Amino acid sequence: MNNKYEQIFQSFAFPSGVEVKNRIMIAPMTTYSSQDNGELSEQELAYYKERSGGVGAFITACAYVSLDGKGFPGQFSVDDDIFIPRLNKLAKTIQSNGTKAILQIYHGGRQSPPTLLPDQQPVSASAIAADREGAPVPREMTEVEIQNTIKAFGEATRRAIEAGFDGVELHGANTYLLQQFFSPHSNRREDQWGGSLEKRMQFPLAVVNSVKKAVAEHAKTPFIVGYRISPEEGTNPGITLEDTLQFVDKLADQALDYLHVSVMHFWNGSFREKNESQSRIIKVYEKVGSRVPILGVGSLHSPEEVVEALETGVPLIALGREMLMEPKWIEKVEAGQEDQIRTTLSKKDQKELVIPDPLWDRLINVKGWLPVED
Ligand SMILES: Cc1cc2nc3c(=O)[nH]c(=O)nc-3n(C[C@H](O)[C@H](O)[C@H](O)COP(=O)(O)O)c2cc1C
C-alpha cells in the first residue's frame, strides 16, 4: 500500500465501543431487489457478499419499519419477527471477514408510492404533498399513529439486534418521514410535534429515544446507533442550514455513535445560501465538535479524494456509487493497485460486479446516476 493512504486504514472505535478496521463505510443503497413480501432475495445477498470483508462497515439499503412506510418496489422489511432469520443471513454475509453490518431503518411517509401501501394512502406529519408533479397528498398522522411509528422504530432495532447486526442507522434524510417531521414544508402541525423549530425536532428525537431504549433493553454487546440527516431542502418553506445546525446540536447530545450527513458532494456549500461556500459536512462537523463522530459522503472516488476528506478531521467516509462500480475498492488500495480502481460502469460488467437485475436496470437507464460506458 502507498503510505499516503495510511489514514484510510486506521481503525476507529465508535462511542458505544464497536470498533471498525478502517475508515470506509459503504453508503446505504436501495437495490429494489427484495421479494414482494419484504424478504431479502438471493441476488441481494450475493451483492452484499461481493462488497463485504474489506470495508470497515456496510450500511444496508433502507428497510421499512412498518408497511405504511414502504417506499420502493423491492424494498425489504424489518416490520415483523418473521424476517429475522433472513436478516440474520444478511448480517452474517456482511460480517464474514470482519466488516460491521449496520441496518438502515426507514419510514417513507409522504414519499411512499400509494400503490405499495395496504390502503393506498401515504401518511405524514401534515396533509401537504411533496413539491413535485403528481405527488399524492398524504393524510396527517394521528397521535396513535405517531406513537405506533415511534414504537415501530424501537421494534425494528430489537429485530436488528436479534438478527445479529452490529448497529442501525436511522434514516432521517433524503425527504423521508423523520425529515418530514423536521421540515417546515411537510410539518404544519400545531400540537407537541410541530409549530416551532424545537417542536419539529420532537418526533425524530422520540424515535432516537425509542431506538436507544431498545438497545439498552436487548443488546448484550455494544451496538452502533447512527443517524442520517439531509442538511437542507430546496423548497420554501424548507429546512435551512441554520435549522440543521440547531438540530445537530441537539442530536449531538443523544449519545449517538455517528451522524451521517447526506449530500451528493462532500465539498459543496449550501444550495439555499449561495454565499455559504463552506462544505455543509464541515459546518456540521464544526458545530458538533467531538460530541459525535461525523460520517461524510458524496462523490468521492479515489483514495486521494478520501484522504483529502479525512484530513479535514471528519473521521469516517462512506462511499456509495463508487462501491457499485468497484466492489474491491479497499482491497485494491491495500494492494497498491489503486490505478485499477474502476470509476465508470461498463454495460458488460453486471455479472462481474454482482449487481441485482432491478438495480442494474436503473443504473443503466436513469441518467446522471453513474458514468455508464458501452
Ligand atoms: C442506487 C442508489 C440507492 C440509494 N439508496 C439509498 C438508501 O436506501 N438510503 C439512503 O440513505 N441513501 C441512499 N442513496 C444515497 C447514497 O447513500 C449516497 O448518499 C449518495 O449516492 C451519494 O454518495 P456517493 O456519491 O458516494 O454515491 C442511494 C443512492 C443510490 C445511487
Side-chain angles (χ1 to χ4, degrees):
M1 190 228 316
N2 189 320
N3 287 346
K4 64 185 181 187
Y5 304 136
E6 248 167 27
Q7 228 177 320
I8 297 174
F9 293 91
Q10 281 167 5
S11 64
F12 179 81
F14 288 99
S16 61
V18 179
E19 207 174 303
V20 280
K21 58 183 172 182
N22 59 53
R23 304 305 179 97
I24 301 296
M25 298 169 70
I26 299 190
M29 282 181 290
T30 291
T31 66
Y32 314 94
S33 305
S34 301
Q35 299 170 44
D36 286 345
N37 69 353
E39 192 154 285
L40 288 150
S41 66
E42 287 302 320
Q43 276 205 1
E44 267 175 306
L45 292 174
Y47 157 90
Y48 283 101
K49 187 173 170 52
E50 180 66 15
R51 290 163 175 77
S52 298
V55 293
F58 201 144
I59 308 167
T60 68
C62 56
Y64 56 92
V65 300
S66 61
L67 193 51
D68 63 355
K70 182 169 182 174
F72 307 96
Q75 187 178 13
F76 71 108
S77 174
V78 60
D79 79 341
D80 195 294
D81 286 6
I82 59 168
F83 296 114
I84 292 175
R86 198 79 176 152
L87 289 166
N88 174 246
K89 222 168 178 182
L90 173 57
K92 279 200 180 128
T93 297
I94 293 173
Q95 290 159 340
S96 60
N97 194 22
T99 295
K100 301 296 178 193
I102 300 176
L103 182 73
Q104 193 184 48
I105 55 177
Y106 162 102
H107 189 296
R110 69 179 183 179
Q111 300 290 16
S112 293
T115 50
L116 295 180
L117 304 178
D119 60 0
Q120 316 254 305
Q121 177 59 66
V123 294
S124 186
S126 299
I128 308 281
D131 187 22
R132 73 184 138 78
E133 213 37 41
V137 179
R139 183 170 55 68
E140 178 178 301
M141 289 169 82
T142 63
E143 179 63 27
V144 170
E145 283 173 323
I146 290 175
Q147 294 299 341
N148 286 344
T149 306
I150 292 167
K151 279 192 206 124
F153 274 95
E155 279 290 274
T157 303
R158 172 185 60 76
R159 292 183 194 111
I161 292 164
E162 291 180 10
F165 280 88
D166 300 290
V168 290
E169 176 175 287
L170 281 68
H171 196 344
N174 304 358
T175 75
Y176 300 116
L177 186 69
L178 297 186
Q179 182 175 332
Q180 288 162 31
F181 267 86
F182 183 55
S183 164
H185 187 277
S186 35
N187 186 348
R188 312 280 172 101
R189 300 178 77 99
E190 289 294 339
D191 57 6
Q192 60 169 316
W193 306 109
S196 64
L197 183 70
E198 200 66 27
K199 285 182 171 176
R200 284 189 274 113
M201 296 178 194
Q202 295 313 308
F203 177 73
L205 290 173
V207 170
V208 170
N209 195 35
S210 170
V211 165
K212 297 285 294 183
K213 229 170 104 199
V215 173
E217 276 172 27
H218 300 285
K220 295 190 180 70
T221 51
F223 189 81
I224 296 167
V225 177
Y227 192 102
R228 191 169 217 210
I229 55 156
S230 287
E232 52 183 354
E233 290 176 336
T235 52
N236 275 314
I239 296 169
T240 64
L241 204 46
E242 192 39 50
D243 292 345
T244 291
L245 293 178
Q246 292 191 48
F247 186 31
V248 297
D249 197 43
K250 271 267 157 40
L251 285 171
D253 291 336
Q254 308 305 309
L256 293 166
D257 283 289
Y258 69 88
L259 197 57
H260 190 176
V261 186
S262 176
V263 292
M264 287 310 283
H265 201 293
F266 184 94
W267 296 103
N268 278 8
S270 168
F271 56 69
R272 284 186 79 97
E273 325 286 340
K274 299 284 183 240
N275 55 346
E276 284 281 0
S277 59
Q278 189 188 21
S279 155
R280 291 163 296 175
I281 295 175
I282 311 290
K283 269 209 152 25
V284 169
Y285 172 62
E286 287 179 354
K287 182 73 185 183
V288 303
S290 58
R291 288 180 293 160
V292 58
I294 297 295
L295 172 57
V297 70
S299 301
L300 301 172
H301 298 279
S302 67
E304 278 91 355
E305 288 167 346
V306 168
V307 166
E308 197 187 350
L310 286 170
E311 276 172 353
T312 64
V314 167
L316 295 160
I317 295 298
L319 300 179
R321 291 165 293 175
E322 180 53 41
M323 286 291 179
L324 298 175
M325 300 185 283
E326 182 51 81
K328 301 296 175 204
W329 194 94
I330 277 281
E331 290 83 347
K332 286 188 176 172
V333 179
E334 213 162 12
Q337 298 168 343
E338 53 275 7
D339 54 332
Q340 290 170 38
I341 288 176
R342 284 176 271 214
T343 53
T344 57
L345 190 74
S346 159
K347 282 186 178 168
K348 296 186 212 79
D349 289 349
Q350 181 189 3
K351 214 161 167 209
E352 193 187 333
L353 298 176
V354 197
I355 294 180
D357 299 336
L359 175 56
W360 181 258
D361 286 346
R362 288 183 193 233
L363 294 178
I364 295 296
N365 294 317
V366 179
K367 292 240 169 335
W369 270 14
L370 291 177
V372 178
E373 280 180 2
D374 282 328

